[in-house]
Amino acid sequence: MAVADVLKKIQDHEVKFVDLRFTDTNGKEHHVTVPAHAFTADKFEDGHAFDGSSIGGWKGIHASDMLLMPDPDTATMDPFMDEATLFLACDVVDPSDGQGYIRDPRSLAKRGEVYLKSTGIGDIAYFGPELEFFIFDSVRWHTNMAGCFLEIESEEAAWSSKKKYENGNIGHRPTVKGGYFPVPPVDSLHDIRSAMCLVLEEMGISVEVHHHEVANAGQCEIGTRFNSLVKRADWNQMLKYVVHNVAHSYGKTATFMPKPIVGDNGSGMHVHQSIWKDGKNLFSGNGYAGMSETALYYIGGVIKHAKALNAITNPGTNSYKRLVAGFEAPVNIAYSASNRSAAVRIPHASNPKQRRIEIRFPDPIANPYLAFTALLMAGLDGIQNKIHPGDPMDKNLYDLPPEEASKVPGTCNSLEEALENLDKDREFLTRGGVFSNDMIDAYITLKMEEAMLYRINTHPVEFSMYYSL
């Protein structure tokens, strides 16, 4: 969309406010709002100044001036604001050199797209993530030196069968691991998901499917169409915004935490991807499962760097409560056709244009700009260095004999382990100046603070294990 089209849209929709949005290192969106009368074409040239030192892991107070540069192609009417509001995704620019800030995730993702073209391997990478999430009725938590607690309320939860409700207990709800595809009233969230889908479509995001997921207590998934790397990352942010706000409008609360409840499946973000050149899908071929040699090398790169990727695709301490065997979690670093116990799956595709790979270990709290770019960089390393992934694993990896299972590498067991691997295995990310060592160092520091906070806090489970010893 041209700048003139954005200004016309503001006029045609009688927009009162323009919301400028950007994403921090953790993947959380921030915004600043400008009255429409103060938003002119100059904003696209001069940007909007803000304080970068207030964003975790970014500029220090001594060099805090930053600019938000709105992307006219992202102009979208916000369906949740009382006053007519148009929002724009922004790149963060360092005014000292006029370039995309090296720690800005969206600018980094754009560098990733440029790097892909510079290699000559392809001209576009497509990404299609599937985000799972939970919708609860209420959640409460508290932690300090005197103690801590967590309580989730969900009328749909298996544990709610004993509760008394004002209008009675309906009794229809999913069992543990029994939430996959039941019709209402067991699936109590159909209408909420439908409302989310309609809002997404209204905002220009094509929805392909929605359904209840495996876990009880409100696990859901909305599948949306693939797109190029940066655009698809933009859509991820919009999807999360819609899910959070529609749930809020229904008096409920949604979360993309990978493992909010104990003893049932966690939420993943399975990322479908392919590389194209001159309108041709480079992943389509005559090899295993209809894959090309290029696709297999891409898989080889992802497998080689999987533990370093974990630090970016699984960026929270909670991520590693999901990555445990027994809950359909893809903890085995192997590849296979249609085998959901493998970290890399090759979905069935009858049309060569649909050939793609699916990376199953990422989760939905990952920053999409960083995660998609890191996956691309790992895959490109595989292609450039002809890293073959070895033989596929076409059996249930959870049921392998111990001797065979020991030969299959696994994902990291903790955020600390993942960060250590990222620190050691980072060169593939820095090619073409996509990721910088400065950015990676800052990321590791930011995430180690989270790991340390988790490590030093006493957990109630420790009382049950150790209090009487």
Side-chain angles (χ1 to χ4, degrees):
M1 185 181 295
V3 171
D5 294 327
V6 177
L7 299 178
K8 186 175 185 301
K9 189 170 186 174
I10 291 172
Q11 185 177 27
D12 292 347
H13 287 81
E14 299 182 352
V15 167
K16 298 294 190 296
F17 296 96
V18 177
D19 213 37
L20 304 178
R21 300 186 181 180
F22 66 99
T23 298
D24 68 13
T25 303
N26 281 322
K28 185 63 179 174
E29 272 197 305
H30 300 260
H31 75 140
V32 61
T33 309
V34 178
H37 65 76
F39 189 86
T40 64
D42 291 343
K43 286 288 185 187
F44 293 96
E45 294 291 333
D46 302 333
H48 183 88
F50 77 105
D51 177 11
S53 69
S54 296
I55 305 301
W58 282 18
K59 287 272 191 176
I61 193 70
H62 62 284
S64 58
D65 290 343
M66 306 292 283
L67 294 173
L68 294 176
M69 302 299 294
D71 183 342
D73 286 337
T74 65
T76 306
M77 293 301 298
D78 191 310
F80 301 108
M81 301 299 183
D82 289 338
E83 300 295 340
T85 301
L86 178 139
F87 69 79
L88 292 149
C90 297
D91 298 318
V92 179
V93 168
D94 190 332
S96 65
D97 58 12
Q99 301 298 310
Y101 179 42
I102 57 173
R103 299 186 190 178
D104 170 39
R106 194 170 192 270
S107 296
L108 184 150
K110 284 188 169 183
R111 293 195 295 273
E113 290 187 318
V114 171
Y115 176 69
L116 168 62
K117 293 178 182 178
S118 76
T119 64
I121 293 171
D123 48 41
I124 191 167
Y126 286 115
F127 287 78
E130 302 171 336
L131 280 76
E132 297 167 341
F133 55 93
F134 282 85
I135 300 175
F136 300 136
D137 293 320
S138 172
V139 61
R140 298 187 303 131
W141 70 86
H142 176 72
T143 178
N144 65 14
M145 63 172 60
C148 59
F149 79 90
L150 162 68
E151 185 172 28
I152 294 170
E153 292 286 344
S154 170
E155 191 167 347
E156 194 190 85
W159 64 77
S160 294
S161 59
K162 66 179 181 180
K163 292 188 176 181
K164 291 184 178 181
Y165 293 100
E166 185 177 344
N167 296 318
N169 191 319
I170 61 168
H172 298 291
R173 51 181 53 89
T175 58
V176 174
K177 294 191 179 184
Y180 196 62
F181 282 20
V183 297
V186 175
D187 175 7
S188 67
L189 300 167
H190 176 90
D191 288 338
I192 297 179
R193 293 195 309 272
S194 292
M196 292 170 177
C197 292
L198 291 176
V199 173
L200 288 167
E201 293 272 1
E202 179 187 332
M203 296 169 75
I205 300 176
S206 178
V207 175
E208 296 182 331
V209 66
H210 79 78
H211 58 86
H212 202 289
E213 258 297 345
V214 173
N216 82 110
Q219 191 182 35
C220 299
E221 180 179 312
I222 295 176
T224 51
R225 188 171 174 77
F226 67 89
N227 211 325
S228 57
L229 193 158
V230 173
K231 289 181 180 177
R232 185 54 252 202
D234 289 341
W235 282 7
N236 250 45
Q237 299 300 75
M238 291 166 66
L239 185 148
K240 293 175 102 171
Y241 180 69
V242 168
V243 167
H244 282 137
N245 280 281
V246 171
H248 186 75
S249 72
Y250 274 78
K252 296 183 182 291
T253 177
T255 180
F256 290 88
M257 277 183 70
K259 194 77 168 182
I261 60 175
V262 179
D264 210 338
N265 284 21
S267 292
M269 180 178 70
H270 307 151
V271 184
H272 297 251
Q273 52 210 269
S274 60
I275 296 178
W276 290 57
K277 186 174 184 179
D278 299 327
K280 180 183 177 182
N281 183 0
L282 300 183
F283 281 15
S284 181
N286 299 316
Y288 174 77
M291 291 282 101
S292 67
E293 192 173 53
T294 297
L296 291 176
Y297 288 149
Y298 190 102
I299 292 171
V302 170
I303 289 176
K304 175 185 177 182
H305 300 294
K307 287 182 178 289
L309 289 170
N310 280 159
I312 298 172
T313 60
N314 308 88
T317 58
N318 186 251
S319 298
Y320 299 89
K321 296 183 183 299
R322 167 182 169 256
L323 290 178
V324 293
F327 298 95
E328 297 188 23
V331 295
N332 300 289
I333 303 175
Y335 77 102
S336 176
S338 304
N339 185 347
R340 285 175 164 80
S341 65
V344 183
R345 188 175 80 97
I346 302 171
H348 170 73
S350 55
N351 188 329
K353 290 185 176 181
Q354 297 174 341
R355 298 264 194 265
R356 63 198 186 277
I357 66 169
E358 176 192 359
I359 311 299
R360 294 179 59 81
F361 54 77
D363 65 54
I365 63 169
N367 183 320
Y369 301 102
L370 301 182
F372 299 166
T373 307
L375 289 168
L376 174 64
M377 297 299 286
L380 290 177
D381 180 49
I383 296 170
Q384 290 165 326
N385 292 290
K386 294 182 167 42
I387 303 171
H388 197 279
D391 295 330
M393 298 292 290
D394 290 326
K395 57 182 75 173
N396 188 340
L397 297 173
Y398 301 137
D399 294 334
L400 293 178
E403 322 83 65
E404 197 173 346
S406 65
K407 298 176 182 177
V408 180
T411 53
C412 292
N413 293 314
S414 68
L415 180 58
E416 293 100 321
E417 181 187 350
L419 293 170
E420 288 170 5
N421 277 275
L422 174 60
D423 195 20
K424 293 183 294 185
D425 180 20
R426 61 166 73 186
E427 186 274 333
F428 74 98
L429 294 170
T430 62
R431 293 175 193 168
V434 178
F435 284 75
S436 66
N437 282 308
D438 172 85
M439 189 274 169
I440 294 172
D441 288 340
Y443 182 87
I444 291 172
T445 298
L446 186 69
K447 290 298 174 179
M448 279 302 297
E449 290 174 359
E450 296 177 17
M452 180 58 69
L453 182 62
Y454 177 76
R455 187 192 302 171
I456 66 175
N457 272 278
T458 303
H459 193 284
V461 170
E462 293 175 306
F463 277 78
S464 66
M465 293 190 293
Y466 308 126
Y467 189 78
S468 295
L469 292 182

PDB file of all heavy atoms in Angstrom, residues 292-313:
ATOM      1  N   SER A 292      12.824 -32.585  -2.331  1.00  0.00           N
ATOM      2  CA  SER A 292      14.025 -32.380  -3.140  1.00  0.00           C
ATOM      3  C   SER A 292      15.262 -32.531  -2.263  1.00  0.00           C
ATOM      4  O   SER A 292      15.178 -32.550  -1.021  1.00  0.00           O
ATOM      5  CB  SER A 292      14.008 -30.987  -3.764  1.00  0.00           C
ATOM      6  OG  SER A 292      14.122 -29.994  -2.747  1.00  0.00           O
ATOM      7  N   GLU A 293      16.423 -32.610  -2.913  1.00  0.00           N
ATOM      8  CA  GLU A 293      17.679 -32.642  -2.172  1.00  0.00           C
ATOM      9  C   GLU A 293      17.862 -31.350  -1.381  1.00  0.00           C
ATOM     10  O   GLU A 293      18.363 -31.356  -0.257  1.00  0.00           O
ATOM     11  CB  GLU A 293      18.839 -32.844  -3.156  1.00  0.00           C
ATOM     12  CG  GLU A 293      20.168 -33.190  -2.500  1.00  0.00           C
ATOM     13  CD  GLU A 293      21.247 -33.537  -3.513  1.00  0.00           C
ATOM     14  OE1 GLU A 293      21.470 -32.717  -4.426  1.00  0.00           O
ATOM     15  OE2 GLU A 293      21.844 -34.622  -3.387  1.00  0.00           O
ATOM     16  N   THR A 294      17.430 -30.240  -1.980  1.00  0.00           N
ATOM     17  CA  THR A 294      17.508 -28.944  -1.290  1.00  0.00           C
ATOM     18  C   THR A 294      16.740 -28.976   0.025  1.00  0.00           C
ATOM     19  O   THR A 294      17.226 -28.493   1.060  1.00  0.00           O
ATOM     20  CB  THR A 294      16.953 -27.827  -2.188  1.00  0.00           C
ATOM     21  OG1 THR A 294      17.762 -27.718  -3.361  1.00  0.00           O
ATOM     22  CG2 THR A 294      16.934 -26.488  -1.461  1.00  0.00           C
ATOM     23  N   ALA A 295      15.544 -29.565  -0.008  1.00  0.00           N
ATOM     24  CA  ALA A 295      14.729 -29.647   1.203  1.00  0.00           C
ATOM     25  C   ALA A 295      15.402 -30.494   2.266  1.00  0.00           C
ATOM     26  O   ALA A 295      15.392 -30.157   3.457  1.00  0.00           O
ATOM     27  CB  ALA A 295      13.346 -30.204   0.868  1.00  0.00           C
ATOM     28  N   LEU A 296      16.004 -31.611   1.847  1.00  0.00           N
ATOM     29  CA  LEU A 296      16.676 -32.486   2.808  1.00  0.00           C
ATOM     30  C   LEU A 296      17.884 -31.784   3.430  1.00  0.00           C
ATOM     31  O   LEU A 296      18.131 -31.915   4.634  1.00  0.00           O
ATOM     32  CB  LEU A 296      17.099 -33.789   2.130  1.00  0.00           C
ATOM     33  CG  LEU A 296      15.952 -34.725   1.722  1.00  0.00           C
ATOM     34  CD1 LEU A 296      16.490 -35.938   0.972  1.00  0.00           C
ATOM     35  CD2 LEU A 296      15.142 -35.167   2.940  1.00  0.00           C
ATOM     36  N   TYR A 297      18.623 -31.025   2.630  1.00  0.00           N
ATOM     37  CA  TYR A 297      19.746 -30.267   3.185  1.00  0.00           C
ATOM     38  C   TYR A 297      19.244 -29.206   4.171  1.00  0.00           C
ATOM     39  O   TYR A 297      19.888 -28.949   5.197  1.00  0.00           O
ATOM     40  CB  TYR A 297      20.542 -29.603   2.063  1.00  0.00           C
ATOM     41  CG  TYR A 297      21.358 -30.552   1.213  1.00  0.00           C
ATOM     42  CD1 TYR A 297      21.605 -30.277  -0.127  1.00  0.00           C
ATOM     43  CD2 TYR A 297      21.887 -31.729   1.746  1.00  0.00           C
ATOM     44  CE1 TYR A 297      22.360 -31.149  -0.922  1.00  0.00           C
ATOM     45  CE2 TYR A 297      22.636 -32.605   0.973  1.00  0.00           C
ATOM     46  CZ  TYR A 297      22.868 -32.299  -0.367  1.00  0.00           C
ATOM     47  OH  TYR A 297      23.612 -33.157  -1.128  1.00  0.00           O
ATOM     48  N   TYR A 298      18.112 -28.591   3.854  1.00  0.00           N
ATOM     49  CA  TYR A 298      17.514 -27.595   4.762  1.00  0.00           C
ATOM     50  C   TYR A 298      17.210 -28.264   6.104  1.00  0.00           C
ATOM     51  O   TYR A 298      17.522 -27.731   7.172  1.00  0.00           O
ATOM     52  CB  TYR A 298      16.251 -27.031   4.129  1.00  0.00           C
ATOM     53  CG  TYR A 298      15.640 -25.836   4.833  1.00  0.00           C
ATOM     54  CD1 TYR A 298      15.822 -24.553   4.337  1.00  0.00           C
ATOM     55  CD2 TYR A 298      14.843 -25.982   5.971  1.00  0.00           C
ATOM     56  CE1 TYR A 298      15.240 -23.446   4.961  1.00  0.00           C
ATOM     57  CE2 TYR A 298      14.266 -24.902   6.605  1.00  0.00           C
ATOM     58  CZ  TYR A 298      14.464 -23.626   6.089  1.00  0.00           C
ATOM     59  OH  TYR A 298      13.893 -22.541   6.712  1.00  0.00           O
ATOM     60  N   ILE A 299      16.600 -29.453   6.032  1.00  0.00           N
ATOM     61  CA  ILE A 299      16.311 -30.214   7.251  1.00  0.00           C
ATOM     62  C   ILE A 299      17.596 -30.518   8.007  1.00  0.00           C
ATOM     63  O   ILE A 299      17.661 -30.408   9.242  1.00  0.00           O
ATOM     64  CB  ILE A 299      15.562 -31.518   6.903  1.00  0.00           C
ATOM     65  CG1 ILE A 299      14.158 -31.196   6.382  1.00  0.00           C
ATOM     66  CG2 ILE A 299      15.479 -32.435   8.122  1.00  0.00           C
ATOM     67  CD1 ILE A 299      13.433 -32.408   5.808  1.00  0.00           C
ATOM     68  N   GLY A 300      18.641 -30.875   7.259  1.00  0.00           N
ATOM     69  CA  GLY A 300      19.924 -31.164   7.890  1.00  0.00           C
ATOM     70  C   GLY A 300      20.465 -29.987   8.673  1.00  0.00           C
ATOM     71  O   GLY A 300      21.015 -30.154   9.774  1.00  0.00           O
ATOM     72  N   GLY A 301      20.304 -28.789   8.125  1.00  0.00           N
ATOM     73  CA  GLY A 301      20.756 -27.595   8.836  1.00  0.00           C
ATOM     74  C   GLY A 301      19.970 -27.351  10.105  1.00  0.00           C
ATOM     75  O   GLY A 301      20.528 -26.987  11.150  1.00  0.00           O
ATOM     76  N   VAL A 302      18.646 -27.552  10.040  1.00  0.00           N
ATOM     77  CA  VAL A 302      17.807 -27.360  11.226  1.00  0.00           C
ATOM     78  C   VAL A 302      18.168 -28.368  12.306  1.00  0.00           C
ATOM     79  O   VAL A 302      18.272 -28.029  13.492  1.00  0.00           O
ATOM     80  CB  VAL A 302      16.315 -27.468  10.851  1.00  0.00           C
ATOM     81  CG1 VAL A 302      15.435 -27.508  12.101  1.00  0.00           C
ATOM     82  CG2 VAL A 302      15.897 -26.305   9.956  1.00  0.00           C
ATOM     83  N   ILE A 303      18.384 -29.624  11.899  1.00  0.00           N
ATOM     84  CA  ILE A 303      18.751 -30.657  12.872  1.00  0.00           C
ATOM     85  C   ILE A 303      20.115 -30.352  13.495  1.00  0.00           C
ATOM     86  O   ILE A 303      20.301 -30.468  14.718  1.00  0.00           O
ATOM     87  CB  ILE A 303      18.742 -32.047  12.204  1.00  0.00           C
ATOM     88  CG1 ILE A 303      17.294 -32.469  11.914  1.00  0.00           C
ATOM     89  CG2 ILE A 303      19.446 -33.088  13.065  1.00  0.00           C
ATOM     90  CD1 ILE A 303      17.166 -33.781  11.165  1.00  0.00           C
ATOM     91  N   LYS A 304      21.082 -29.928  12.672  1.00  0.00           N
ATOM     92  CA  LYS A 304      22.416 -29.620  13.182  1.00  0.00           C
ATOM     93  C   LYS A 304      22.367 -28.523  14.241  1.00  0.00           C
ATOM     94  O   LYS A 304      23.065 -28.593  15.260  1.00  0.00           O
ATOM     95  CB  LYS A 304      23.325 -29.191  12.038  1.00  0.00           C
ATOM     96  CG  LYS A 304      24.715 -28.740  12.497  1.00  0.00           C
ATOM     97  CD  LYS A 304      25.557 -28.207  11.350  1.00  0.00           C
ATOM     98  CE  LYS A 304      26.904 -27.692  11.854  1.00  0.00           C
ATOM     99  NZ  LYS A 304      27.730 -27.120  10.756  1.00  0.00           N
ATOM    100  N   HIS A 305      21.554 -27.508  14.017  1.00  0.00           N
ATOM    101  CA  HIS A 305      21.531 -26.341  14.900  1.00  0.00           C
ATOM    102  C   HIS A 305      20.337 -26.343  15.861  1.00  0.00           C
ATOM    103  O   HIS A 305      20.054 -25.305  16.479  1.00  0.00           O
ATOM    104  CB  HIS A 305      21.509 -25.066  14.056  1.00  0.00           C
ATOM    105  CG  HIS A 305      22.691 -24.901  13.157  1.00  0.00           C
ATOM    106  ND1 HIS A 305      23.970 -24.709  13.632  1.00  0.00           N
ATOM    107  CD2 HIS A 305      22.793 -24.904  11.796  1.00  0.00           C
ATOM    108  CE1 HIS A 305      24.814 -24.590  12.610  1.00  0.00           C
ATOM    109  NE2 HIS A 305      24.121 -24.705  11.489  1.00  0.00           N
ATOM    110  N   ALA A 306      19.648 -27.477  15.994  1.00  0.00           N
ATOM    111  CA  ALA A 306      18.389 -27.512  16.756  1.00  0.00           C
ATOM    112  C   ALA A 306      18.554 -27.009  18.186  1.00  0.00           C
ATOM    113  O   ALA A 306      17.707 -26.260  18.690  1.00  0.00           O
ATOM    114  CB  ALA A 306      17.820 -28.928  16.752  1.00  0.00           C
ATOM    115  N   LYS A 307      19.626 -27.400  18.858  1.00  0.00           N
ATOM    116  CA  LYS A 307      19.782 -26.999  20.259  1.00  0.00           C
ATOM    117  C   LYS A 307      20.031 -25.497  20.393  1.00  0.00           C
ATOM    118  O   LYS A 307      19.560 -24.870  21.343  1.00  0.00           O
ATOM    119  CB  LYS A 307      20.906 -27.809  20.916  1.00  0.00           C
ATOM    120  CG  LYS A 307      20.535 -29.262  21.196  1.00  0.00           C
ATOM    121  CD  LYS A 307      21.668 -30.002  21.891  1.00  0.00           C
ATOM    122  CE  LYS A 307      21.300 -31.433  22.231  1.00  0.00           C
ATOM    123  NZ  LYS A 307      20.304 -31.526  23.321  1.00  0.00           N
ATOM    124  N   ALA A 308      20.760 -24.904  19.452  1.00  0.00           N
ATOM    125  CA  ALA A 308      20.930 -23.451  19.463  1.00  0.00           C
ATOM    126  C   ALA A 308      19.615 -22.760  19.106  1.00  0.00           C
ATOM    127  O   ALA A 308      19.258 -21.726  19.690  1.00  0.00           O
ATOM    128  CB  ALA A 308      22.025 -23.034  18.487  1.00  0.00           C
ATOM    129  N   LEU A 309      18.880 -23.345  18.164  1.00  0.00           N
ATOM    130  CA  LEU A 309      17.583 -22.781  17.787  1.00  0.00           C
ATOM    131  C   LEU A 309      16.614 -22.767  18.957  1.00  0.00           C
ATOM    132  O   LEU A 309      15.784 -21.862  19.083  1.00  0.00           O
ATOM    133  CB  LEU A 309      16.979 -23.577  16.621  1.00  0.00           C
ATOM    134  CG  LEU A 309      17.653 -23.414  15.260  1.00  0.00           C
ATOM    135  CD1 LEU A 309      17.102 -24.436  14.262  1.00  0.00           C
ATOM    136  CD2 LEU A 309      17.448 -22.002  14.724  1.00  0.00           C
ATOM    137  N   ASN A 310      16.711 -23.794  19.828  1.00  0.00           N
ATOM    138  CA  ASN A 310      15.812 -23.856  20.984  1.00  0.00           C
ATOM    139  C   ASN A 310      15.809 -22.562  21.780  1.00  0.00           C
ATOM    140  O   ASN A 310      14.765 -22.140  22.305  1.00  0.00           O
ATOM    141  CB  ASN A 310      16.207 -25.007  21.916  1.00  0.00           C
ATOM    142  CG  ASN A 310      15.735 -26.359  21.454  1.00  0.00           C
ATOM    143  OD1 ASN A 310      16.269 -27.389  21.855  1.00  0.00           O
ATOM    144  ND2 ASN A 310      14.745 -26.406  20.579  1.00  0.00           N
ATOM    145  N   ALA A 311      16.959 -21.905  21.890  1.00  0.00           N
ATOM    146  CA  ALA A 311      17.034 -20.671  22.676  1.00  0.00           C
ATOM    147  C   ALA A 311      16.149 -19.580  22.100  1.00  0.00           C
ATOM    148  O   ALA A 311      15.708 -18.682  22.827  1.00  0.00           O
ATOM    149  CB  ALA A 311      18.484 -20.180  22.724  1.00  0.00           C
ATOM    150  N   ILE A 312      15.861 -19.645  20.795  1.00  0.00           N
ATOM    151  CA  ILE A 312      15.054 -18.622  20.127  1.00  0.00           C
ATOM    152  C   ILE A 312      13.636 -19.107  19.869  1.00  0.00           C
ATOM    153  O   ILE A 312      12.677 -18.352  20.028  1.00  0.00           O
ATOM    154  CB  ILE A 312      15.735 -18.206  18.805  1.00  0.00           C
ATOM    155  CG1 ILE A 312      17.111 -17.598  19.110  1.00  0.00           C
ATOM    156  CG2 ILE A 312      14.874 -17.220  18.017  1.00  0.00           C
ATOM    157  CD1 ILE A 312      17.958 -17.330  17.885  1.00  0.00           C
ATOM    158  N   THR A 313      13.488 -20.387  19.502  1.00  0.00           N
ATOM    159  CA  THR A 313      12.154 -20.921  19.209  1.00  0.00           C
ATOM    160  C   THR A 313      11.416 -21.384  20.457  1.00  0.00           C
ATOM    161  O   THR A 313      10.202 -21.562  20.427  1.00  0.00           O
ATOM    162  CB  THR A 313      12.251 -22.102  18.226  1.00  0.00           C
ATOM    163  OG1 THR A 313      13.060 -23.138  18.814  1.00  0.00           O
ATOM    164  CG2 THR A 313      12.865 -21.666  16.905  1.00  0.00           C
TER     165      THR A 313
END
